Amino acid sequence: MTPKELLYIQDALGHEQTLEKICQFTSEQVTAQDLKPYLTQLATKHKEIFNQFFQVLG
């Protein structure tokens, strides 16, 4: 991989981690019960995407 491609993957990993944390935090804070499962599902999806990106590096 080129250095630019590695930087892209590094940025993508950081974005996915941030999105996972935001979704998880928001799901814990939101009072609308119908949104909690959706936000938890989004957090899980971002974690899965992070893991897929990380596997590309391995």
Side-chain angles (χ1 to χ4, degrees):
M1 281 189 188
T2 67
K4 190 170 187 172
E5 290 170 327
L6 289 173
L7 285 174
Y8 170 77
I9 291 174
Q10 183 180 14
D11 284 347
L13 285 169
H15 291 296
E16 290 303 328
Q17 279 184 317
T18 301
L19 289 167
E20 177 197 355
K21 289 177 185 177
I22 289 170
C23 290
Q24 189 63 41
F25 175 78
T26 305
S27 74
E28 295 167 0
Q29 302 299 316
V30 71
T31 56
Q33 294 299 318
D34 57 332
L35 291 178
K36 283 182 183 268
Y38 178 71
L39 290 165
T40 301
Q41 182 182 19
L42 280 176
T44 301
K45 186 63 177 173
H46 285 294
K47 186 172 188 166
E48 290 171 2
I49 293 169
F50 173 87
N51 289 335
Q52 288 172 351
F53 270 121
F54 197 75
Q55 287 176 352
V56 168
L57 298 175

